[in-house]
PDB file of all heavy atoms in Angstrom:
ATOM      1  N   LEU A   1     -63.822  59.252 -68.370  1.00 96.00           N
ATOM      2  CA  LEU A   1     -62.435  59.523 -68.050  1.00 96.00           C
ATOM      3  C   LEU A   1     -62.168  60.862 -67.376  1.00 96.00           C
ATOM      4  O   LEU A   1     -61.372  61.085 -66.564  1.00 96.00           O
ATOM      5  CB  LEU A   1     -61.524  59.446 -69.227  1.00 96.00           C
ATOM      6  CG  LEU A   1     -61.409  58.046 -69.909  1.00 96.00           C
ATOM      7  CD1 LEU A   1     -60.453  58.096 -71.175  1.00 96.00           C
ATOM      8  CD2 LEU A   1     -60.828  57.079 -68.927  1.00 96.00           C
ATOM      9  N   PHE A   2     -63.012  61.946 -67.762  1.00 96.00           N
ATOM     10  CA  PHE A   2     -62.807  63.220 -67.356  1.00 96.00           C
ATOM     11  C   PHE A   2     -63.450  63.460 -66.020  1.00 96.00           C
ATOM     12  O   PHE A   2     -63.241  64.485 -65.235  1.00 96.00           O
ATOM     13  CB  PHE A   2     -63.238  64.203 -68.369  1.00 96.00           C
ATOM     14  CG  PHE A   2     -62.722  65.666 -68.157  1.00 96.00           C
ATOM     15  CD1 PHE A   2     -61.481  65.910 -68.429  1.00 96.00           C
ATOM     16  CD2 PHE A   2     -63.555  66.610 -67.563  1.00 96.00           C
ATOM     17  CE1 PHE A   2     -60.959  67.253 -68.185  1.00 96.00           C
ATOM     18  CE2 PHE A   2     -63.108  67.904 -67.401  1.00 96.00           C
ATOM     19  CZ  PHE A   2     -61.876  68.282 -67.670  1.00 96.00           C
ATOM     20  N   THR A   3     -64.437  62.625 -65.667  1.00 96.00           N
ATOM     21  CA  THR A   3     -65.268  62.845 -64.422  1.00 96.00           C
ATOM     22  C   THR A   3     -64.392  63.079 -63.155  1.00 96.00           C
ATOM     23  O   THR A   3     -64.616  64.002 -62.351  1.00 96.00           O
ATOM     24  CB  THR A   3     -66.205  61.661 -64.215  1.00 96.00           C
ATOM     25  OG1 THR A   3     -67.145  61.774 -65.175  1.00 96.00           O
ATOM     26  CG2 THR A   3     -66.908  61.815 -62.772  1.00 96.00           C
ATOM     27  N   PRO A   4     -63.377  62.327 -62.736  1.00 95.00           N
ATOM     28  CA  PRO A   4     -62.609  62.609 -61.641  1.00 95.00           C
ATOM     29  C   PRO A   4     -61.969  63.962 -61.619  1.00 95.00           C
ATOM     30  O   PRO A   4     -61.976  64.696 -60.652  1.00 95.00           O
ATOM     31  CB  PRO A   4     -61.503  61.396 -61.618  1.00 95.00           C
ATOM     32  CG  PRO A   4     -62.126  60.346 -62.352  1.00 95.00           C
ATOM     33  CD  PRO A   4     -62.887  61.047 -63.450  1.00 95.00           C
ATOM     34  N   LEU A   5     -61.440  64.457 -62.795  1.00 96.00           N
ATOM     35  CA  LEU A   5     -60.769  65.771 -62.886  1.00 96.00           C
ATOM     36  C   LEU A   5     -61.878  66.755 -62.732  1.00 96.00           C
ATOM     37  O   LEU A   5     -61.752  67.865 -62.049  1.00 96.00           O
ATOM     38  CB  LEU A   5     -60.063  65.913 -64.145  1.00 96.00           C
ATOM     39  CG  LEU A   5     -59.461  67.276 -64.355  1.00 96.00           C
ATOM     40  CD1 LEU A   5     -58.475  67.649 -63.291  1.00 96.00           C
ATOM     41  CD2 LEU A   5     -58.615  67.363 -65.777  1.00 96.00           C
ATOM     42  N   TYR A   6     -63.055  66.534 -63.258  1.00 97.00           N
ATOM     43  CA  TYR A   6     -64.218  67.465 -63.160  1.00 97.00           C
ATOM     44  C   TYR A   6     -64.630  67.677 -61.748  1.00 97.00           C
ATOM     45  O   TYR A   6     -64.877  68.793 -61.231  1.00 97.00           O
ATOM     46  CB  TYR A   6     -65.368  66.993 -64.054  1.00 97.00           C
ATOM     47  CG  TYR A   6     -66.448  68.039 -64.294  1.00 97.00           C
ATOM     48  CD1 TYR A   6     -66.189  69.180 -65.038  1.00 97.00           C
ATOM     49  CD2 TYR A   6     -67.819  67.891 -63.708  1.00 97.00           C
ATOM     50  CE1 TYR A   6     -67.165  70.102 -65.279  1.00 97.00           C
ATOM     51  CE2 TYR A   6     -68.744  68.759 -63.984  1.00 97.00           C
ATOM     52  CZ  TYR A   6     -68.538  69.999 -64.765  1.00 97.00           C
ATOM     53  OH  TYR A   6     -69.382  70.933 -65.046  1.00 97.00           O
ATOM     54  N   TRP A   7     -64.609  66.500 -60.997  1.00 96.00           N
ATOM     55  CA  TRP A   7     -64.980  66.601 -59.557  1.00 96.00           C
ATOM     56  C   TRP A   7     -63.925  67.362 -58.794  1.00 96.00           C
ATOM     57  O   TRP A   7     -64.204  68.079 -57.839  1.00 96.00           O
ATOM     58  CB  TRP A   7     -65.278  65.239 -59.030  1.00 96.00           C
ATOM     59  CG  TRP A   7     -66.593  64.784 -59.329  1.00 96.00           C
ATOM     60  CD1 TRP A   7     -67.288  64.930 -60.510  1.00 96.00           C
ATOM     61  CD2 TRP A   7     -67.460  63.915 -58.489  1.00 96.00           C
ATOM     62  NE1 TRP A   7     -68.459  64.288 -60.423  1.00 96.00           N
ATOM     63  CE2 TRP A   7     -68.557  63.669 -59.165  1.00 96.00           C
ATOM     64  CE3 TRP A   7     -67.275  63.448 -57.195  1.00 96.00           C
ATOM     65  CZ2 TRP A   7     -69.718  62.957 -58.696  1.00 96.00           C
ATOM     66  CZ3 TRP A   7     -68.324  62.795 -56.692  1.00 96.00           C
ATOM     67  CH2 TRP A   7     -69.513  62.535 -57.384  1.00 96.00           C
ATOM     68  N   ILE A   8     -62.640  67.163 -59.132  1.00 96.00           N
ATOM     69  CA  ILE A   8     -61.586  67.953 -58.519  1.00 96.00           C
ATOM     70  C   ILE A   8     -61.824  69.416 -58.829  1.00 96.00           C
ATOM     71  O   ILE A   8     -61.521  70.366 -57.850  1.00 96.00           O
ATOM     72  CB  ILE A   8     -60.204  67.532 -59.048  1.00 96.00           C
ATOM     73  CG1 ILE A   8     -59.888  66.180 -58.500  1.00 96.00           C
ATOM     74  CG2 ILE A   8     -59.103  68.546 -58.674  1.00 96.00           C
ATOM     75  CD1 ILE A   8     -59.539  66.147 -56.979  1.00 96.00           C
ATOM     76  N   MET A   9     -62.138  69.813 -59.957  1.00 97.00           N
ATOM     77  CA  MET A   9     -62.440  71.218 -60.212  1.00 97.00           C
ATOM     78  C   MET A   9     -63.592  71.744 -59.422  1.00 97.00           C
ATOM     79  O   MET A   9     -63.558  72.908 -58.898  1.00 97.00           O
ATOM     80  CB  MET A   9     -62.842  71.380 -61.716  1.00 97.00           C
ATOM     81  CG  MET A   9     -61.526  71.226 -62.733  1.00 97.00           C
ATOM     82  SD  MET A   9     -62.189  71.156 -64.535  1.00 97.00           S
ATOM     83  CE  MET A   9     -62.629  72.838 -64.672  1.00 97.00           C
ATOM     84  N   MET A  10     -64.713  70.962 -59.202  1.00 97.00           N
ATOM     85  CA  MET A  10     -65.741  71.233 -58.332  1.00 97.00           C
ATOM     86  C   MET A  10     -65.259  71.452 -56.948  1.00 97.00           C
ATOM     87  O   MET A  10     -65.721  72.473 -56.209  1.00 97.00           O
ATOM     88  CB  MET A  10     -66.863  70.294 -58.412  1.00 97.00           C
ATOM     89  CG  MET A  10     -67.724  70.363 -59.670  1.00 97.00           C
ATOM     90  SD  MET A  10     -69.218  69.492 -59.554  1.00 97.00           S
ATOM     91  CE  MET A  10     -68.736  67.896 -60.024  1.00 97.00           C
ATOM     92  N   SER A  11     -64.332  70.613 -56.571  1.00 96.00           N
ATOM     93  CA  SER A  11     -63.809  70.834 -55.157  1.00 96.00           C
ATOM     94  C   SER A  11     -62.954  72.103 -54.991  1.00 96.00           C
ATOM     95  O   SER A  11     -63.117  72.803 -53.990  1.00 96.00           O
ATOM     96  CB  SER A  11     -62.829  69.622 -54.864  1.00 96.00           C
ATOM     97  OG  SER A  11     -63.585  68.409 -54.800  1.00 96.00           O
ATOM     98  N   ALA A  12     -62.287  72.578 -56.037  1.00 97.00           N
ATOM     99  CA  ALA A  12     -61.555  73.741 -55.998  1.00 97.00           C
ATOM    100  C   ALA A  12     -62.499  74.887 -55.882  1.00 97.00           C
ATOM    101  O   ALA A  12     -62.310  75.877 -55.178  1.00 97.00           O
ATOM    102  CB  ALA A  12     -60.676  73.828 -57.305  1.00 97.00           C
ATOM    103  N   ALA A  13     -63.602  74.820 -56.632  1.00 97.00           N
ATOM    104  CA  ALA A  13     -64.665  75.864 -56.589  1.00 97.00           C
ATOM    105  C   ALA A  13     -65.299  75.910 -55.254  1.00 97.00           C
ATOM    106  O   ALA A  13     -65.603  77.040 -54.736  1.00 97.00           O
ATOM    107  CB  ALA A  13     -65.695  75.654 -57.674  1.00 97.00           C
ATOM    108  N   ALA A  14     -65.459  74.818 -54.643  1.00 96.00           N
ATOM    109  CA  ALA A  14     -66.120  74.721 -53.332  1.00 96.00           C
ATOM    110  C   ALA A  14     -65.179  75.353 -52.283  1.00 96.00           C
ATOM    111  O   ALA A  14     -65.656  76.134 -51.380  1.00 96.00           O
ATOM    112  CB  ALA A  14     -66.436  73.264 -52.939  1.00 96.00           C
ATOM    113  N   TRP A  15     -63.924  75.023 -52.210  1.00 96.00           N
ATOM    114  CA  TRP A  15     -62.950  75.665 -51.300  1.00 96.00           C
ATOM    115  C   TRP A  15     -62.825  77.123 -51.547  1.00 96.00           C
ATOM    116  O   TRP A  15     -62.787  77.944 -50.565  1.00 96.00           O
ATOM    117  CB  TRP A  15     -61.583  74.993 -51.359  1.00 96.00           C
ATOM    118  CG  TRP A  15     -61.640  73.635 -50.660  1.00 96.00           C
ATOM    119  CD1 TRP A  15     -61.691  72.338 -51.167  1.00 96.00           C
ATOM    120  CD2 TRP A  15     -61.604  73.513 -49.249  1.00 96.00           C
ATOM    121  NE1 TRP A  15     -61.684  71.476 -50.207  1.00 96.00           N
ATOM    122  CE2 TRP A  15     -61.709  72.017 -48.937  1.00 96.00           C
ATOM    123  CE3 TRP A  15     -61.518  74.320 -48.158  1.00 96.00           C
ATOM    124  CZ2 TRP A  15     -61.622  71.516 -47.647  1.00 96.00           C
ATOM    125  CZ3 TRP A  15     -61.518  73.816 -46.896  1.00 96.00           C
ATOM    126  CH2 TRP A  15     -61.532  72.504 -46.628  1.00 96.00           C
ATOM    127  N   ARG A  16     -62.884  77.554 -52.808  1.00 97.00           N
ATOM    128  CA  ARG A  16     -62.804  78.942 -53.142  1.00 97.00           C
ATOM    129  C   ARG A  16     -64.068  79.645 -52.616  1.00 97.00           C
ATOM    130  O   ARG A  16     -64.018  80.788 -52.111  1.00 97.00           O
ATOM    131  CB  ARG A  16     -62.614  79.075 -54.613  1.00 97.00           C
ATOM    132  CG  ARG A  16     -62.312  80.519 -55.133  1.00 97.00           C
ATOM    133  CD  ARG A  16     -61.916  80.478 -56.625  1.00 97.00           C
ATOM    134  NE  ARG A  16     -61.560  81.862 -57.082  1.00 97.00           N
ATOM    135  CZ  ARG A  16     -62.433  82.632 -57.683  1.00 97.00           C
ATOM    136  NH1 ARG A  16     -63.710  82.208 -57.919  1.00 97.00           N
ATOM    137  NH2 ARG A  16     -62.109  83.842 -58.118  1.00 97.00           N
ATOM    138  N   ALA A  17     -65.207  78.985 -52.796  1.00 96.00           N
ATOM    139  CA  ALA A  17     -66.567  79.576 -52.357  1.00 96.00           C
ATOM    140  C   ALA A  17     -66.523  79.732 -50.834  1.00 96.00           C
ATOM    141  O   ALA A  17     -66.992  80.691 -50.284  1.00 96.00           O
ATOM    142  CB  ALA A  17     -67.647  78.712 -52.764  1.00 96.00           C
ATOM    143  N   LEU A  18     -65.965  78.708 -50.074  1.00 95.00           N
ATOM    144  CA  LEU A  18     -65.888  78.799 -48.658  1.00 95.00           C
ATOM    145  C   LEU A  18     -64.966  79.991 -48.201  1.00 95.00           C
ATOM    146  O   LEU A  18     -65.305  80.810 -47.303  1.00 95.00           O
ATOM    147  CB  LEU A  18     -65.323  77.519 -48.158  1.00 95.00           C
ATOM    148  CG  LEU A  18     -65.407  77.342 -46.580  1.00 95.00           C
ATOM    149  CD1 LEU A  18     -66.805  77.292 -46.035  1.00 95.00           C
ATOM    150  CD2 LEU A  18     -64.627  75.997 -46.223  1.00 95.00           C
ATOM    151  N   PHE A  19     -63.879  80.163 -48.924  1.00 95.00           N
ATOM    152  CA  PHE A  19     -63.039  81.294 -48.567  1.00 95.00           C
ATOM    153  C   PHE A  19     -63.789  82.670 -48.782  1.00 95.00           C
ATOM    154  O   PHE A  19     -63.821  83.557 -47.916  1.00 95.00           O
ATOM    155  CB  PHE A  19     -61.748  81.199 -49.444  1.00 95.00           C
ATOM    156  CG  PHE A  19     -60.841  82.472 -49.191  1.00 95.00           C
ATOM    157  CD1 PHE A  19     -60.045  82.422 -47.986  1.00 95.00           C
ATOM    158  CD2 PHE A  19     -60.800  83.371 -50.135  1.00 95.00           C
ATOM    159  CE1 PHE A  19     -59.223  83.656 -47.919  1.00 95.00           C
ATOM    160  CE2 PHE A  19     -59.908  84.506 -50.030  1.00 95.00           C
ATOM    161  CZ  PHE A  19     -59.106  84.574 -48.878  1.00 95.00           C
ATOM    162  N   GLN A  20     -64.477  82.846 -50.024  1.00 95.00           N
ATOM    163  CA  GLN A  20     -65.138  84.036 -50.171  1.00 95.00           C
ATOM    164  C   GLN A  20     -66.301  84.181 -49.338  1.00 95.00           C
ATOM    165  O   GLN A  20     -66.781  85.334 -49.108  1.00 95.00           O
ATOM    166  CB  GLN A  20     -65.601  83.974 -51.695  1.00 95.00           C
ATOM    167  CG  GLN A  20     -64.547  84.222 -52.726  1.00 95.00           C
ATOM    168  CD  GLN A  20     -65.142  84.587 -54.097  1.00 95.00           C
ATOM    169  OE1 GLN A  20     -66.345  84.755 -54.351  1.00 95.00           O
ATOM    170  NE2 GLN A  20     -64.239  84.672 -55.102  1.00 95.00           N
ATOM    171  N   LEU A  21     -66.909  83.179 -48.796  1.00 94.00           N
ATOM    172  CA  LEU A  21     -68.039  83.300 -47.962  1.00 94.00           C
ATOM    173  C   LEU A  21     -67.697  84.179 -46.771  1.00 94.00           C
ATOM    174  O   LEU A  21     -68.560  84.922 -46.229  1.00 94.00           O
ATOM    175  CB  LEU A  21     -68.540  81.952 -47.500  1.00 94.00           C
ATOM    176  CG  LEU A  21     -69.830  81.848 -46.702  1.00 94.00           C
ATOM    177  CD1 LEU A  21     -71.103  82.264 -47.555  1.00 94.00           C
ATOM    178  CD2 LEU A  21     -70.065  80.473 -46.199  1.00 94.00           C
ATOM    179  N   PHE A  22     -66.478  84.049 -46.329  1.00 91.00           N
ATOM    180  CA  PHE A  22     -66.143  84.809 -45.068  1.00 91.00           C
ATOM    181  C   PHE A  22     -65.266  86.074 -45.490  1.00 91.00           C
ATOM    182  O   PHE A  22     -65.190  87.010 -44.717  1.00 91.00           O
ATOM    183  CB  PHE A  22     -65.285  83.976 -44.251  1.00 91.00           C
ATOM    184  CG  PHE A  22     -66.117  82.870 -43.644  1.00 91.00           C
ATOM    185  CD1 PHE A  22     -66.087  81.594 -44.147  1.00 91.00           C
ATOM    186  CD2 PHE A  22     -67.015  83.115 -42.530  1.00 91.00           C
ATOM    187  CE1 PHE A  22     -66.891  80.556 -43.543  1.00 91.00           C
ATOM    188  CE2 PHE A  22     -67.796  82.109 -42.046  1.00 91.00           C
ATOM    189  CZ  PHE A  22     -67.766  80.816 -42.488  1.00 91.00           C
ATOM    190  N   THR A  23     -64.843  86.235 -46.745  1.00 93.00           N
ATOM    191  CA  THR A  23     -64.037  87.359 -47.073  1.00 93.00           C
ATOM    192  C   THR A  23     -64.875  88.377 -48.033  1.00 93.00           C
ATOM    193  O   THR A  23     -64.760  89.569 -47.809  1.00 93.00           O
ATOM    194  CB  THR A  23     -62.756  87.058 -47.813  1.00 93.00           C
ATOM    195  OG1 THR A  23     -63.092  86.183 -49.031  1.00 93.00           O
ATOM    196  CG2 THR A  23     -61.891  86.217 -46.854  1.00 93.00           C
ATOM    197  N   ARG A  24     -65.616  87.834 -48.916  1.00 93.00           N
ATOM    198  CA  ARG A  24     -66.388  88.675 -49.861  1.00 93.00           C
ATOM    199  C   ARG A  24     -67.783  88.035 -50.070  1.00 93.00           C
ATOM    200  O   ARG A  24     -68.118  87.516 -51.208  1.00 93.00           O
ATOM    201  CB  ARG A  24     -65.702  88.809 -51.235  1.00 93.00           C
ATOM    202  CG  ARG A  24     -64.274  89.316 -51.120  1.00 93.00           C
ATOM    203  CD  ARG A  24     -63.552  89.309 -52.411  1.00 93.00           C
ATOM    204  NE  ARG A  24     -63.945  90.420 -53.210  1.00 93.00           N
ATOM    205  CZ  ARG A  24     -63.660  90.461 -54.446  1.00 93.00           C
ATOM    206  NH1 ARG A  24     -62.786  89.592 -55.070  1.00 93.00           N
ATOM    207  NH2 ARG A  24     -64.005  91.577 -55.274  1.00 93.00           N
ATOM    208  N   PRO A  25     -68.687  87.940 -49.086  1.00 93.00           N
ATOM    209  CA  PRO A  25     -69.812  87.131 -49.127  1.00 93.00           C
ATOM    210  C   PRO A  25     -70.843  87.569 -50.180  1.00 93.00           C
ATOM    211  O   PRO A  25     -71.572  86.713 -50.759  1.00 93.00           O
ATOM    212  CB  PRO A  25     -70.480  87.264 -47.773  1.00 93.00           C
ATOM    213  CG  PRO A  25     -69.840  88.488 -47.199  1.00 93.00           C
ATOM    214  CD  PRO A  25     -68.390  88.559 -47.803  1.00 93.00           C
ATOM    215  N   HIS A  26     -70.869  88.932 -50.537  1.00 92.00           N
ATOM    216  CA  HIS A  26     -71.829  89.418 -51.537  1.00 92.00           C
ATOM    217  C   HIS A  26     -71.232  89.835 -52.725  1.00 92.00           C
ATOM    218  O   HIS A  26     -71.912  90.401 -53.562  1.00 92.00           O
ATOM    219  CB  HIS A  26     -72.572  90.673 -50.895  1.00 92.00           C
ATOM    220  CG  HIS A  26     -73.171  90.273 -49.521  1.00 92.00           C
ATOM    221  ND1 HIS A  26     -72.879  91.054 -48.354  1.00 92.00           N
ATOM    222  CD2 HIS A  26     -73.976  89.321 -49.096  1.00 92.00           C
ATOM    223  CE1 HIS A  26     -73.530  90.583 -47.303  1.00 92.00           C
ATOM    224  NE2 HIS A  26     -74.197  89.445 -47.724  1.00 92.00           N
TER     225      HIS A  26
END
């Protein structure tokens, strides 16, 4: 039951990572 929400959380982390990759890469 929690898997879809867990994947949404992973998506949030992925978009946050993409943003940081160009703003604070290290």
Side-chain angles (χ1 to χ4, degrees):
L1 291 180
F2 196 75
T3 292
L5 180 56
Y6 193 67
W7 279 39
I8 286 291
M9 292 174 64
M10 283 194 280
S11 297
W15 282 102
R16 192 168 180 267
L18 188 64
F19 176 75
Q20 283 195 7
L21 185 66
F22 294 100
T23 59
R24 308 175 74 187
H26 306 126

